[in-house]
Amino acid sequence: MPSKTITTTTAAAVLALGLLASQAATAADNTSDSTGDSNSADSKGFTFGVIGDIPYGEAEIAKFPARIQDINNDSALKFVTHVGDIKNGSSVCSDEYFAAIRTQFDTFKHPLVYTPGDNEWVDCHRTNNGAYNPLERLDKLREVFFDEPGKTLGATMPVTTQADLGLPENVRFTRNRVALSVLNIQGSNNSLQPWTGLGETAATPGQVAEVEHRTDAVVAQIHDTFADAERRNDRAVVLMTQADMFDSSQLAGATANPDTVSGFRDIVQAIIDETNSFDAPVYLINGDSHVFAENRPLAEGSPWLDIYGQPAADDLQRITVDGSANATNYVRFTVAGNSADGAGVLAWERVPYSR
């Protein structure tokens, strides 16, 4: 049975978060010109924001309402994506905490697309996380944050989901001939690492079944995203996820034992195949490793090609957003007007928070 105990400091932080949310909440603008699978008429380009691995710990929990307000003040943003990890990896995965973050998310004035991170379900087996069954926590996340499949949090923007497969968090949409796809891909080897907090030394049958089902759904959405982008003659594809499948800090271990990233192999293969057949730029935006980076992890000569046993995908551009202690900014992405294509479609910059 999962532990329901919350430390005094954590409980106080959750309470403070809820109070700040009620003070900061304003009426959201529930209008949008985006649709789940059709192009916007906005030919002048647009911007969107991405955050991840926030808030981490009590100090950042206290700052989170102000962070949201800074993003709300960026009126040019058409939507915001949170690429997962709404807590750190050593705090309790409680219902109360989830509810407090949902209250905060509801104060976004822009449409908010959220994909779960490993800290809020995969790693919840840890004793200091409450010794929960991660699959039960994933179900709870879906209940709290994805209660209206096909609609974003914050302001409403319709999106196409995989709710029929049981994955309402996997969504895709388009705007101005740019296809965007947000996918539930997790750290901890895509959730294949043993649940040691529950006394397990190997992945359980239920754990493996969840990973296989979710991975199949992710791969299917990647293929569908590119197929529709080809049909529409889109100018770019943008994939967003929590997991850093090319984390340089894990490179030595993966080189020695490629099985440490085995949970990503089918997904990486799908991304490579589609990138190499798509005649336009492909971008991968992720969190997880907490340090801003911009690189081409699958370019010719990359050590990741040997680890994953795949050919190069030179046109894949990856951007990792800052997180944890580095979450002092959001990344603003600017999509050029409809007349631009090639490398000029997407640009990005880090925007510091005001405090």
Side-chain angles (χ1 to χ4, degrees):
M1 294 289 293
S3 168
K4 301 298 182 183
T5 303
I6 307 178
T7 64
T8 301
T9 53
T10 301
V14 169
L15 178 59
L17 182 62
L19 290 172
L20 286 166
S22 64
Q23 295 167 356
T26 57
D29 176 8
N30 289 325
T31 62
S32 172
D33 62 0
S34 290
T35 57
D37 260 331
S38 63
N39 289 315
S40 165
D42 184 2
S43 63
K44 296 182 180 180
F46 64 95
T47 66
F48 64 93
V50 181
I51 59 175
D53 302 273
I54 184 175
Y56 264 45
E58 293 175 27
E60 288 302 315
I61 289 172
K63 295 176 183 176
F64 196 44
R67 307 298 202 207
I68 294 173
Q69 188 59 49
D70 282 345
I71 295 172
N72 284 344
N73 288 341
D74 191 343
S75 59
L77 299 178
K78 296 301 183 183
F79 62 89
V80 177
T81 300
H82 189 305
V83 290
D85 274 10
I86 55 175
K87 58 180 284 294
N88 63 25
S90 57
S91 56
V92 177
C93 304
S94 67
D95 291 1
E96 292 84 356
Y97 186 81
F98 290 173
I101 294 295
R102 172 61 196 260
T103 299
Q104 280 294 311
F105 279 179
D106 286 342
T107 68
F108 273 90
K109 292 183 178 180
H110 307 296
L112 175 67
V113 180
Y114 160 64
T115 186
D118 50 320
N119 285 358
E120 52 259 39
W121 71 279
V122 174
D123 300 331
C124 293
H125 63 87
R126 297 171 181 171
T127 302
N128 60 4
N129 279 231
Y132 290 90
N133 181 307
L135 301 186
E136 183 274 333
R137 288 292 81 188
L138 178 57
D139 286 343
K140 188 64 179 181
L141 285 171
R142 288 170 174 156
E143 175 187 325
V144 172
F145 293 97
F146 304 97
D147 52 320
E148 294 187 82
K151 293 183 179 181
T152 53
L153 300 169
T156 297
M157 178 179 74
V159 292
T160 299
T161 81
Q162 287 189 321
D164 59 331
L165 298 177
L167 287 87
E169 68 274 16
N170 281 354
V171 305
R172 56 195 182 99
F173 52 102
T174 66
R175 182 183 280 271
N176 197 12
R177 294 178 53 226
V178 172
L180 301 107
S181 191
V182 184
L183 304 151
N184 185 347
I185 308 171
Q186 294 300 315
S188 302
N189 195 19
N190 203 19
S191 188
L192 279 176
Q193 289 184 3
W195 297 340
T196 54
L198 301 179
E200 303 292 348
T201 58
T204 70
Q207 181 180 358
V208 171
E210 187 282 328
V211 172
E212 290 178 347
H213 175 64
R214 179 167 44 82
T215 299
D216 287 346
V218 164
V219 169
Q221 178 160 311
I222 291 170
H223 290 315
D224 288 345
T225 299
F226 278 91
D228 287 345
E230 290 275 9
R231 175 178 54 81
R232 290 186 301 257
N233 192 30
D234 284 349
R235 299 179 296 149
V237 167
V238 179
L239 307 175
M240 290 188 263
T241 183
Q242 159 65 195
D244 185 348
M245 297 178 282
F246 313 103
D247 184 352
S248 60
S249 70
Q250 305 296 320
L251 190 57
T255 301
N257 181 11
D259 287 345
T260 61
V261 293
S262 60
F264 304 129
R265 190 163 289 118
D266 290 347
I267 297 168
V268 170
Q269 179 180 342
I271 292 173
I272 290 173
D273 290 346
E274 293 292 358
T275 298
N276 287 340
S277 64
F278 186 61
D279 190 24
V282 179
Y283 301 90
L284 173 64
I285 303 170
N286 64 265
D288 195 22
S289 49
H290 303 166
V291 179
F292 180 81
E294 43 189 351
N295 52 42
R296 297 182 183 272
L298 295 172
E300 194 68 47
S302 168
W304 290 108
L305 301 178
D306 290 334
I307 292 167
Y308 283 116
Q310 294 292 330
D314 291 322
D315 291 335
L316 179 70
Q317 171 71 58
R318 189 268 290 267
I319 303 98
T320 301
V321 301
D322 282 319
S324 185
N326 296 317
T328 58
N329 62 83
Y330 62 97
V331 182
R332 181 198 288 137
F333 291 84
T334 299
V335 177
N338 199 44
S339 61
D341 57 16
V345 172
L346 193 65
W348 52 90
E349 61 180 328
R350 287 184 284 178
V351 180
Y353 294 122
S354 62
R355 48 189 153 166

